[in-house]
Amino acid sequence: MKFLVALVLVVFANNVTAKKSYRGHRLMSVKAADKQQLDVLEHMMKTAEPWLDIWSYPVVNRTAVFRVPPSSYGMFMSRMGLANISVTLMENDVEDFLKRSSLPVSGPHAETSPFSGWTGGFTTHTYYKRYGEIVSLLTGMGNTFTSLVKEVGVLNTQTYEGRTISYIRFGTPGDKPVIFIEGLIHAREWIVGGTVMYFMDRLVSRYSLDADAKFLLDTYDIYVVPVANPDGYEYSHTSQRLWRKNRSSHRNGCRGVDLNRNFDAFWRTEGVSTNCNSDIYCGPSVFSEAEAQGIRNKVAEINTGGQRLHAYLAVHSYSQLVLTPYSYDYVKPDNYAEIESAAAAMTQALRLPFNTDYTWGHGPTTLYPVSGASDDWAMLGGGARYTYTYELRPKEANFEISPTNIIPNGYEFWLSVVALGCNMNGVSATCDF
Ligand SMILES: [Zn+2]
């Protein structure tokens, strides 16, 4: 009996993964006053020396936010001092900050509680679901809403840790223009998964009740990959809350590629690092990662027999923004006028229910240029006429946000997709939004 108890304890101990603590990690806001100072910051980001976690990217005269672990702090501060860059301490203990942030808060734009609208039908939206539960829900939707779900399947690749990447295709009979929604390509942006799940639930649960849901499903085929980076997403639950990349293995045991730098869109030219230690590592080669390959192959399949991908939505957090293409440089697609006018309608929709402070703008100007991102590839390689990157709640630097935000943020996102659906050219549809 004693032996059995000991055995059980050993098994239990082996199953417990120590979760990374952010005790003593600082959040620093940094402002580069000129190009020279910006170069210093960019050099640190690209070489990962000292190692920094970039929460908001540096741009001249705009505040950047870095998480600085205790081991990097000395070198970081001395570089800032040498370059005369102004630094402000925002939080002196990220562990406490995350704990605080996960609690419901009241105040302007934080959330809207109690929410007086529709809060869910097929599932509840009160906590952040793990990958396994999300996959089961997709299967469940497919089995329950047989006339509204055309397919539930997996992309034709497997992740480094052996997971499949699930997708779902919604729509009523007939091949229609496609809206493709990609979620959680960045592991730590948990609000994205909750928001996209609310969107999917609303789509099927409200089809016979809401003109909006009926309009979307009668007009479009909607593909959703709710968790494009399942290895990273699970790792952010079990081991490191602030993990961003996937989990593929590289030289010297270094792990992870930033999947949103791995697509074939001027790969490795702007806003990337070629150092695996960096959080913006673009990978050893273009489309080296299974997750990016899977999306590429699915889009190719959608376009077999003719261009069907019409809009591609890459959903991220945080900042409360709708970003327009291109992302890789300060250039715009030829059809920018129509992209811009739909972005304005989407942003108005995001603000509509709670006056949440969403704005829209050209990616590189609003944030920073980024090459190898999925939104650009969807246009350049996938032929999409409209591509957008969402940065969801919150407005201020943070990846941890109370799950009480899921429903209101989900509703805002829902309205914005309806607005997009109503405001795209090249689709014959009648709607008013
Ligand atoms: Zn992101």
Side-chain angles (χ1 to χ4, degrees), residues 365-398:
T365 326
T366 312
L367 289 184
Y368 41 83
V370 159
S371 63
S374 64
D375 56 350
D376 278 359
W377 175 80
M379 184 164 278
L380 297 166
R385 186 160 168 175
Y386 293 84
T387 61
Y388 298 96
T389 291
Y390 282 81
E391 297 286 356
L392 299 177
R393 295 183 182 200
K395 184 84 176 171
E396 297 78 23
N398 207 348

Side-chain angles (χ1 to χ4, degrees), residues 185-186 189 244 260 315-318 391 399:
I185 205 165
H186 286 150
E189 300 166 3
R244 164 184 169 98
N260 205 36
V315 192
H316 292 251
S317 72
Y318 59 89
E391 297 286 356
F399 298 101

Side-chain angles (χ1 to χ4, degrees), residues 257-270 272-274 280-289 328 370-373 380:
V257 167
D258 183 348
L259 295 172
N260 205 36
R261 302 289 186 279
N262 192 238
F263 285 73
D264 187 8
F266 296 86
W267 181 75
R268 212 174 79 166
T269 53
E270 273 294 333
V272 303
S273 170
T274 53
I280 50 171
Y281 176 46
C282 61
S285 58
V286 65
F287 276 125
S288 57
E289 304 307 295
Y328 73 89
V370 159
S371 63
L380 297 166

